């Protein structure tokens, strides 16, 4: 039983309008079709029982609906999940944690739900031609970073479905020499990381490399974070692999990458969330904002899937939203303004 997009169908049953709305919103974010959403009376009045692979049921008092349970258990062709937690206020950290718990329950019944990039999509991206005319010149007030110099500022690039194309466009529109390093956290099948590295490293001025034990981030790096196990930065800023998987449903966990990077870099760690399903990044964003970090997102119309950047934007922590090309221009402008400010401060203190 699948919907029009080939994805599973769910039925939503609740006597609370707000709960139905939030369950329906979450189901859509996870790529599910909703075949029914209503209260018990509406379902009992249906001439034909709606088809669904899974039913989500939340009632204020289940004792008040004895006829419903017999009807539901007799007619439902898929499993029924009772007693789901009430959804907190959207945009809050509790809400995104609620979504994660719901996703876990859905995947226990329906299998993995997040769509990942296919190898064919990555190969097609490898054949695209760069647009060097769109690359801005190096900032006027910036002395290019010395090759091999350690990075004092890092930007975490987080993405899922549609991310490789967006991140490639972003990197292709950056000039060389910016004094910054990137940590790239992409939800992807671990078998495709070599293809991804080849695709993103083809045209950009920035060096794409896999994370290595003991490596310290250098200006111009784009370090691809591995999928299987968690990585962090030690007290010296060196990358180190931990002996356990990433927390959460997918690897790498963008939330955890953000937190681990911010533990070392503090307010010199920033984030850009690109196209993707789900809400990864939304839990860590307020914590980084409290550090004084910048949180940017890709605008929805340019995304292959806009759920991830929209979830982060819903936290109220985002200070800039744009296409990959606009994000690149804004980064160049931000770095130039920072360099100009430092130059003035140095001149004033002389």
């Amino acid at each position: 039983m699948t919907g029009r997009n080939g994805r599973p169908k769910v039925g939503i049953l609740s006597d609370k309008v707000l709960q139905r709305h939030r369950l329906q919103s979450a189901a859509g974010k996870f790529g599910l079709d909703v075949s029914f959403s209503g209260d018990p009376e509406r379902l009992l009045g249906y001439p034909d029982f709606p088809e669904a692979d899974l039913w989500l049921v939340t009632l204020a008092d289940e004792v008040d609906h004895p006829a419903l349970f017999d009807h539901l258990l007799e007619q439902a062709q898929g499993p029924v999940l009772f007693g789901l937690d009430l959804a907190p206020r959207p945009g809050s950290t509790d809400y995104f944690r609620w979504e994660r718990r719901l996703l876990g329950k859905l995947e226990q019944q329906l299998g993995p739900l997040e769509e990942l990039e296919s190898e064919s999509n990555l190969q097609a991206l490898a054949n695209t031609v760069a647009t060097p005319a769109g690359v801005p010149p190096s900032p006027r007030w910036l002395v290019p970073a010395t090759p091999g110099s350690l990075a004092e500022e890092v930007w975490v690039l987080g993405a899922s479905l549609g991310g490789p194309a967006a991140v490639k466009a972003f990197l292709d529109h950056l000039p060389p020499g910016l004094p910054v390093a990137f940590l790239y956290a992409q939800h992807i099948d671990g078998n495709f990381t070599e293809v991804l590295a080849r695709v993103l490293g083809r045209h950009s001025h920035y060096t794409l490399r896999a994370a290595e034990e003991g490596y310290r981030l250098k200006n111009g790096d784009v370090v691809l974070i591995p999928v299987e196990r968690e990585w962090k930065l030690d007290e010296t800023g060196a990358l180190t692999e931990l002996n356990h998987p990433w927390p959460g449903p997918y690897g790498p966990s963008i939330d955890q990458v953000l937190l681990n990077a911010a533990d070392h870099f503090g307010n010199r760690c920033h984030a850009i969330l690109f196209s993707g399903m789900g809400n990864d990044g939304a839990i860590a964003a307020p914590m980084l904002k409290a550090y004084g970090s910048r949180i940017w997102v890709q605008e929805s119309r340019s995304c292959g899937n806009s759920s991830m950047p929209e979830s982060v934007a819903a936290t109220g922590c985002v200070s800039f939203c744009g296409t990959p090309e606009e994000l690149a221009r804004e980064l160049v402008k931000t770095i130039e303004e920072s360099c100009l400010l430092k130059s003035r401060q140095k001149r004033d203190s002389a």
Side-chain angles (χ1 to χ4, degrees):
M1 229 180 300
T2 55
R4 288 172 297 176
N5 59 1
R7 306 286 282 169
K9 295 195 294 187
V10 297
I12 294 171
L13 189 63
S14 178
D15 46 12
K16 295 183 178 295
V17 175
L18 204 54
Q19 177 75 345
R20 293 200 302 267
H21 174 74
R22 291 176 181 172
L23 283 170
Q24 188 165 349
S25 175
K29 185 178 292 186
F30 302 142
L32 300 173
D33 274 356
V34 176
S35 60
F36 175 88
S37 181
D39 57 25
E41 289 70 25
R42 184 172 178 227
L43 180 65
L44 290 170
Y46 253 52
D48 297 311
F49 195 84
E51 292 186 350
D53 297 277
L54 177 68
W55 283 86
L56 306 176
V57 182
T58 304
L59 300 171
D61 193 338
E62 297 174 357
V63 178
D64 294 338
H65 307 281
L68 170 69
F69 286 91
D70 290 338
H71 184 62
L72 191 59
L73 296 175
E74 287 174 5
Q75 298 292 332
Q77 298 179 32
V80 180
L81 295 183
F82 293 103
L84 298 173
D85 297 338
L86 291 177
R89 176 180 58 83
S92 65
T93 299
D94 286 342
Y95 177 80
F96 294 118
R97 294 189 187 280
W98 171 83
E99 279 192 327
R100 300 277 178 88
R101 293 195 298 273
L102 176 62
L103 175 60
K105 293 176 181 179
L106 291 170
E107 292 196 323
Q108 284 179 1
Q109 301 295 332
L110 301 173
L113 294 177
E114 185 176 25
E115 290 184 74
L116 301 176
E117 291 294 335
S118 67
E119 186 174 13
S120 59
N121 282 351
L122 291 174
Q123 294 288 6
L125 186 59
N127 296 328
T128 60
V129 178
T131 55
V135 179
S138 295
R140 177 183 175 186
W141 301 103
L142 171 69
V143 176
T146 303
S149 57
L150 292 178
E152 295 184 1
E153 184 174 322
V154 64
W155 285 74
V156 176
L157 312 178
S160 180
L161 183 66
V167 172
K168 181 180 183 302
F170 169 78
L171 294 173
D172 282 348
H173 284 78
L174 292 178
L178 295 180
V180 65
F182 299 99
L183 289 175
Y184 180 22
Q186 170 73 48
H187 292 179
I188 196 169
D189 187 313
N191 296 319
F192 300 157
T193 53
E194 289 186 9
V195 181
L196 179 64
R198 186 168 69 250
V199 167
L200 268 73
R202 184 175 177 187
H203 302 299
S204 173
H205 295 295
Y206 292 81
T207 304
L208 193 75
R209 59 184 305 144
E212 298 176 19
E213 185 70 31
Y215 183 77
R216 298 180 69 188
L217 300 178
K218 298 178 176 61
N219 290 311
D221 282 342
V222 182
V223 176
L224 184 60
I225 300 298
V227 171
E228 294 80 11
R229 291 184 178 86
E230 183 178 346
W231 286 67
K232 70 171 187 176
L233 298 161
D234 68 15
E235 61 278 1
T236 70
L239 288 165
T240 184
E241 183 181 25
L242 304 180
N243 192 28
H244 56 250
W246 291 100
Y250 301 109
S253 163
I254 297 169
D255 278 307
Q256 197 62 48
V257 173
L258 289 169
L259 294 175
N260 291 352
D263 276 347
H264 178 72
F265 283 95
N267 64 1
R268 293 176 290 113
C269 170
H270 311 286
I272 305 177
L273 282 301
F274 292 90
S275 175
M277 292 182 68
N279 66 17
D280 205 359
I283 292 174
M287 303 181 198
L288 262 71
K289 180 69 173 178
Y291 277 126
S293 302
R294 293 182 174 89
I295 311 293
W296 297 353
V297 297
Q298 183 179 352
E299 62 91 22
S300 298
R301 290 171 297 177
S302 64
C303 291
N305 190 296
S306 61
S307 293
M308 184 184 294
E310 286 178 352
S311 292
V312 175
T315 66
C317 297
V318 171
S319 58
F320 185 79
C321 175
T323 65
E325 296 81 6
E326 289 168 343
L327 289 162
R329 288 196 292 270
E330 186 67 14
L331 179 59
V332 174
K333 175 184 173 184
T334 298
I335 292 174
E336 183 176 23
E337 290 174 348
S338 176
C339 291
L340 183 58
L341 178 61
K342 290 178 182 177
S343 176
R344 287 174 177 169
Q345 289 173 340
K346 184 181 295 186
R347 182 187 62 198
D348 292 343
S349 62

